[in-house]
Amino acid sequence: MLRTRRFALLATTILAFAAACDSNSSTGGGDPNPVAQPPGNQDPSPAPGNPGPGTSPDQPKPYVHYDVNHVLSTGQSNSVGNEAFPPLTMTQPYRNIMFNVGIIPGTNCDGNGCRVYEKPTSFIPLTEGDYFFDYAVETMSAGMANLVGKLGAEKLLVGKPSHDLLVSLHGRSGYTYACLRKNGCDFFGTPNPYTTPFDDGMNEVSDAMDLAKAAGKTYVVRAVTAIHGESDHYAYTMGLAEFPMPGTDGTSTIQNYADAMLEWQRDYDRGVKTITGQTDDVPLLQLQMSNWNDVPHSQIPTWQLEAHTRAPGKVVLVGPSYIFEYAGDCLHYSNHGERHIGEYFAKVYARMFIEGLPWEPVRPKQVTLDGTVVTAKFYVPKPPLVLDANRVSNPGNYGFEFYDTSGSPPKITAVEVVGDDTVKVTLDRKPSNGARLRYAYTAVPLTCPGVESGPRGNLRDSDDTPSNNSYELFNWAVVFDEPVN
């Protein structure tokens, strides 16, 4: 009972913050049963945390075709399109597919979960319009799949068989990591009246594999996507954090959200391989949370970045979320926001699984100090770097902040791009010990997230990847809090 009340309190508080924000600000801008394996697809899986062969820019991993490329999607309310209505993608321009029961097989759902996993019996063309709530929504699924289709057909796989995605979604509104992970949680009593999301994901894999096999098609699970973090953020700020928690392996301890992301990827990877017999690794692609608004700082986005750096090629940070269009509740994405997010996932997916190259978002590679000048070199997917205060309003110093342990750190007097991959930050005096450079790090409580307010910054690259929907697809710098050397 205590755990159930705790979950309800957390959900109510999140909604209260959203309502307060909505009343004070406007919406932000804008054992295995393998199916047929193609020849040459037996590369050994790299060790956990090791990117393995073929992940350096000069050694792309060879592309291997599959008829059905399955992407599992999970997360909380923003993963299932809460407030993202009406649906936008009502036709399928390529050959992407979903289950005949919809993108979301979970049914008989309410605010606490779904009571039934509806077993699919066929594949149908991928369109949006699932009723996870009491209205039809747009998720990121079709936006992702359709841009992958476009990039494959027009650029990366010209003259070759199409790269067709199956997307299925088992996210749950309001769920913390503890309830989404393998084995789920005990928040709802015993027996739990709701299906466990992770188990639904494994059912999706098993059912998709059987349907592909029956049709004589080759099948692989390529990745898991996650749009998540808000509920765990609010749990921390409310003093209800669930970490540390026992690991799902029965031996480890999950100390924080970064550990959790590594565990999540490991469990999906092992679960999928047990069902399919595939040797292809299953990375976790995650969107970085940028939409907290109850306190100035959040640990979740920096832990998401930490997971990316600790497990290269396994946990992959797609980019930040401050650039997307939010709905009027200042918490969830609009329908265009969801579809736009999908196209960012598509870029990362195409790079990793079609081009065979690793993905790095715009993030610091090295941060150094010389006197009063901080120099930050970045990973840049498509140089040069740009400080852009037109598409995202300037929160001050283009989103950069400086910290030291003095209690009164030096002030930033200038921020400049001084090379394709380099930013120079000038201070008004030499800093004390414990110097750190931060970006998109601070929220103004009870304001809407997005390009006009909320935690954000103005640093981006010059990516000109074409969109299916006239969106811009620059890569914006992620939220970070980095030591200065």
Side-chain angles (χ1 to χ4, degrees):
M1 179 64 71
L2 177 61
R3 304 271 292 191
T4 304
R5 290 177 57 195
R6 178 173 166 184
F7 183 86
L9 176 60
L10 176 59
T12 301
T13 302
I14 292 171
L15 292 174
F17 275 119
C21 170
D22 189 29
S23 67
N24 282 282
S25 297
S26 60
T27 303
D31 270 344
N33 297 300
V35 297
Q37 297 283 340
N41 192 46
Q42 303 301 319
D43 292 338
S45 298
N50 186 331
T55 56
S56 63
D58 59 349
Q59 188 190 6
K61 186 175 181 179
Y63 176 71
V64 178
H65 173 78
Y66 290 88
D67 299 321
V68 178
N69 301 274
H70 195 173
V71 176
L72 302 169
S73 293
T74 188
Q76 54 186 102
S77 56
N78 277 319
S79 76
V80 293
N82 194 335
E83 297 296 314
F85 59 85
L88 301 170
T89 310
M90 305 307 292
T91 60
Q92 175 48 238
Y94 300 100
R95 296 177 54 184
N96 300 307
I97 54 176
M98 64 182 183
F99 292 133
N100 65 308
V101 296
I103 298 170
I104 308 171
T107 60
N108 197 8
C109 305
D110 60 26
N112 287 331
C114 296
R115 291 177 172 82
V116 177
Y117 171 80
E118 189 173 1
K119 187 177 181 66
T121 57
S122 65
F123 297 135
I124 62 174
L126 171 60
T127 58
E128 295 286 346
D130 274 46
Y131 280 79
F132 185 85
F133 308 98
D134 58 354
Y135 48 86
V137 299
E138 179 88 9
T139 70
M140 55 78 73
S141 305
M144 174 181 64
N146 291 344
L147 185 57
V148 170
K150 177 183 179 69
L151 295 176
E154 298 178 5
K155 180 180 179 182
L156 302 176
L157 295 171
V158 176
K160 297 180 180 179
S162 61
H163 189 98
D164 305 329
L165 264 62
L166 163 67
V167 186
S168 62
L169 173 56
H170 50 276
R172 295 291 186 269
S173 184
Y175 274 29
T176 59
Y177 171 71
C179 292
L180 288 171
R181 70 172 180 162
K182 181 180 177 181
N183 302 328
C185 63
D186 61 356
F187 285 12
F188 309 106
T190 304
N192 187 347
Y194 301 103
T195 63
T196 301
F198 186 91
D199 290 346
D200 282 2
M202 295 302 102
N203 288 332
E204 291 164 17
V205 173
S206 181
D207 290 339
M209 186 183 69
D210 289 346
L211 292 171
K213 184 186 295 185
K217 296 180 180 294
T218 54
Y219 169 85
V220 70
V221 177
R222 292 286 191 181
V224 179
T225 68
I227 304 177
H228 188 257
E230 294 90 344
S231 286
D232 281 278
H233 161 82
Y234 287 105
Y236 271 102
T237 61
M238 293 170 61
L240 299 176
E242 295 153 6
F243 301 103
M245 63 175 69
T248 57
D249 60 4
T251 59
S252 63
T253 298
I254 306 304
Q255 296 290 351
N256 55 40
Y257 194 84
D259 284 354
M261 296 301 96
L262 272 63
E263 178 184 68
W264 216 5
Q265 186 276 329
R266 180 202 68 197
D267 286 343
Y268 272 107
D269 185 79
R270 292 178 180 177
V272 165
K273 288 175 178 176
T274 297
I275 295 169
T276 67
Q278 70 184 61
T279 58
D280 300 68
D281 290 336
V282 183
L284 175 70
L285 313 185
Q286 58 175 342
L287 185 70
Q288 189 185 46
M289 188 193 82
S290 308
N291 59 333
W292 73 94
N293 63 1
D294 58 327
V295 294
H297 310 304
S298 175
Q299 296 172 288
I300 299 300
T302 52
W303 273 327
Q304 289 172 328
L305 177 56
E306 179 187 327
H308 172 94
T309 60
R310 284 172 56 188
K314 299 280 192 177
V315 179
V316 179
L317 193 61
V318 171
S321 55
Y322 58 80
I323 60 170
F324 300 114
E325 182 179 280
Y326 284 82
D329 68 356
C330 299
L331 178 66
H332 300 100
Y333 303 110
S334 70
N335 51 1
H336 282 280
E338 287 281 349
R339 189 168 65 175
H340 197 182
I341 288 168
E343 293 201 340
Y344 273 84
F345 274 97
K347 289 197 310 173
V348 177
Y349 179 98
R351 182 170 179 84
M352 293 180 64
F353 300 109
I354 300 181
E355 297 183 85
L357 295 169
W359 171 256
E360 286 291 354
V362 178
R363 70 175 180 92
K365 182 186 299 184
Q366 182 183 51
V367 184
T368 58
L369 176 68
D370 183 6
T372 60
V373 175
V374 179
T375 301
K377 287 189 175 293
F378 286 82
Y379 292 95
V380 186
K382 182 68 180 292
L385 287 174
V386 177
L387 288 171
D388 185 343
N390 294 318
R391 292 171 176 85
V392 176
S393 70
N394 187 350
N397 296 319
Y398 301 105
F400 286 89
E401 301 175 35
F402 187 83
Y403 170 85
D404 68 17
T405 57
S406 68
S408 180
K411 295 179 181 179
I412 294 174
T413 60
V415 177
E416 309 164 77
V417 172
V418 294
D420 284 355
D421 65 348
T422 305
V423 173
K424 182 174 76 172
V425 178
T426 304
L427 308 175
D428 67 350
R429 67 181 189 277
K430 290 184 179 180
S432 180
N433 296 327
R436 305 187 73 85
L437 186 67
R438 295 169 168 175
Y439 174 86
Y441 185 74
T442 301
V444 177
L446 301 183
T447 61
C448 285
V451 298
E452 294 294 336
S453 58
R456 66 197 187 281
N458 303 103
L459 186 66
R460 64 165 174 84
D461 74 352
S462 300
D463 196 336
D464 58 355
T465 299
S467 165
N468 268 323
N469 303 288
S470 300
Y471 302 132
E472 292 179 325
L473 297 174
F474 302 119
N475 299 298
W476 295 78
V478 301
V479 180
F480 64 80
D481 174 20
E482 293 291 314
V484 178
N485 298 310

